Amino acid sequence: MSTTGATAEPPPSSRTNSNRQDPLAALGALPGVAESVESVRKAVDRVYGHRVMRRRSNEVTSEAALRAARGSAALSGADWALEEVRRRSDFSGDEARVMGAALRLTAEAGQLLSIWRQSPLRVLARLHLVAAASQEDAVGRPRQAGEGVGEPLIELAPPSADEVSGRLEGLSELIIAGGSAPALVTAAVVHGELLALRPFVSHNGLIARAAERIVLVGSGLDPKSVCPAEVGHAELGRAAYLTALDGYVSGTPEGMAAWIAHCARAVELGARESTAVCEALQRGAA
């Protein structure tokens, strides 16, 4: 993969105060982003407008959570069939531990919505604790100098522990301050920044996608959590995911817009998946 992030303009959370008043809103003005935002809104509205959502939304939410976990785990190397995820209870073994972590994170994300806007770093620490399940020493805190990063599917050189600390603080400040940026833009930046930083010694991809989910749900864009972006990211494929991440890390307007568009398409595909679930429930097939 490209390592252009070493010399290119850094992503929004690490830029200087001169551009810090509402940098995420500025991303919303990039070419094509407004169209992506509108396309996502229409896709989400289609799911919420389905007649099944009026009386069986809890079932759709539960199914979306399961499919989200499966999709996120697939991008982290555990690509299991949905029925395998549904039937398994033993999650020991390397791939199974990834799947177990994804399932735990999906369940935990909904419990952290009220904390996110006040203390995003606390939420991220909690997500790592849940994902790691106390199987590692450096649990629930950002990695320190000299500690490695267990994220083999992302080949970008990880930033130093000092850079991670500074950029996490910057990201936290942006979230706490709020702003006028569309939820899709904020979710994409949170996701991309956590992937670029890989702030923990493990499970960073799973955590980044769980944080994206928290933003999409907590913002009110997808309040019932029925549009699993993780499904879309997996469907678009690992190669496209990593190529889009290169765009984010580059910090260029074109790269940032491409990453946001990729995240938008993932949400749309997640919405399509849940629409299919609604149709199956309506037919009595699920």
Side-chain angles (χ1 to χ4, degrees), residues 109 113 116 124 127 183-192 194 205-219 221 227-231 233 241 259-260 262-264 266-267:
L113 297 173
W116 175 255
L124 294 174
L127 290 175
L184 171 68
V185 172
T186 303
V189 168
V190 167
H191 184 172
L194 292 175
L206 295 176
I207 291 168
R209 291 183 287 275
E212 180 185 47
R213 166 185 285 267
I214 287 172
V215 175
L216 292 171
V217 175
S219 67
L221 176 62
C227 300
E230 300 94 328
V231 169
H233 287 301
Y241 188 62
W259 170 252
I260 294 167
H262 183 87
C263 292
V267 176

Side-chain angles (χ1 to χ4, degrees), residues 37 103 199 234:
V37 169
L103 288 166

Side-chain angles (χ1 to χ4, degrees), residues 114-235:
S114 63
I115 306 172
W116 175 255
R117 282 296 300 271
Q118 286 75 42
S119 185
L121 297 185
R122 179 181 163 197
V123 169
L124 294 174
R126 174 63 184 170
L127 290 175
H128 187 245
L129 184 66
V130 168
S134 301
Q135 294 174 354
E136 301 152 4
D137 293 332
V139 171
R141 62 159 175 80
R143 56 186 168 85
Q144 299 173 355
E147 292 179 334
V149 178
E151 199 69 35
L153 300 178
I154 297 178
E155 299 174 359
L156 292 166
S160 69
D162 285 345
E163 183 177 350
V164 166
S165 178
R167 286 172 61 173
L168 279 179
E169 285 294 339
L171 183 63
S172 177
E173 290 170 9
L174 287 177
I175 293 164
I176 293 170
S180 60
L184 171 68
V185 172
T186 303
V189 168
V190 167
H191 184 172
E193 189 74 345
L194 292 175
L195 280 182
L197 293 179
R198 280 145 293 157
F200 301 103
V201 297
S202 65
H203 299 96
N204 290 287
L206 295 176
I207 291 168
R209 291 183 287 275
E212 180 185 47
R213 166 185 285 267
I214 287 172
V215 175
L216 292 171
V217 175
S219 67
L221 176 62
D222 179 21
K224 294 183 182 293
S225 194
V226 295
C227 300
E230 300 94 328
V231 169
H233 287 301
E235 185 173 337

Side-chain angles (χ1 to χ4, degrees), residues 238-272:
R238 193 177 301 155
Y241 188 62
L242 297 178
T243 297
L245 176 61
D246 275 345
Y248 178 86
V249 172
S250 76
T252 65
E254 297 80 9
M256 296 296 292
W259 170 252
I260 294 167
H262 183 87
C263 292
R265 183 59 179 150
V267 176
E268 290 172 24
L269 291 171
R272 186 182 70 178

Side-chain angles (χ1 to χ4, degrees), residues 26-195:
L27 294 179
L30 291 175
V33 171
E35 291 81 357
S36 291
V37 169
E38 180 61 21
S39 183
V40 164
R41 170 52 65 189
K42 289 179 179 178
V44 173
D45 285 348
R46 279 194 293 273
V47 179
Y48 279 83
H50 198 285
R51 61 187 299 178
V52 166
M53 286 292 294
R54 292 197 293 271
R55 50 196 170 82
R56 302 180 70 179
S57 64
N58 288 342
E59 293 173 67
V60 181
T61 296
S62 295
E63 188 64 21
L66 185 71
R67 295 176 186 227
R70 194 217 71 82
S72 190
L75 287 170
S76 286
D79 192 358
W80 291 12
L82 183 62
E83 290 310 312
E84 176 72 3
V85 181
R86 207 186 296 279
R87 73 170 188 82
R88 282 286 288 267
S89 58
D90 177 14
F91 293 100
S92 57
D94 290 345
E95 277 197 15
R97 278 196 290 270
V98 172
M99 184 61 69
L103 288 166
R104 290 192 299 274
L105 285 173
T106 302
E108 186 72 12
Q111 309 303 312
L112 300 172
L113 297 173
S114 63
I115 306 172
W116 175 255
R117 282 296 300 271
Q118 286 75 42
S119 185
L121 297 185
R122 179 181 163 197
V123 169
L124 294 174
R126 174 63 184 170
L127 290 175
H128 187 245
L129 184 66
V130 168
S134 301
Q135 294 174 354
E136 301 152 4
D137 293 332
V139 171
R141 62 159 175 80
R143 56 186 168 85
Q144 299 173 355
E147 292 179 334
V149 178
E151 199 69 35
L153 300 178
I154 297 178
E155 299 174 359
L156 292 166
S160 69
D162 285 345
E163 183 177 350
V164 166
S165 178
R167 286 172 61 173
L168 279 179
E169 285 294 339
L171 183 63
S172 177
E173 290 170 9
L174 287 177
I175 293 164
I176 293 170
S180 60
L184 171 68
V185 172
T186 303
V189 168
V190 167
H191 184 172
E193 189 74 345
L194 292 175
L195 280 182

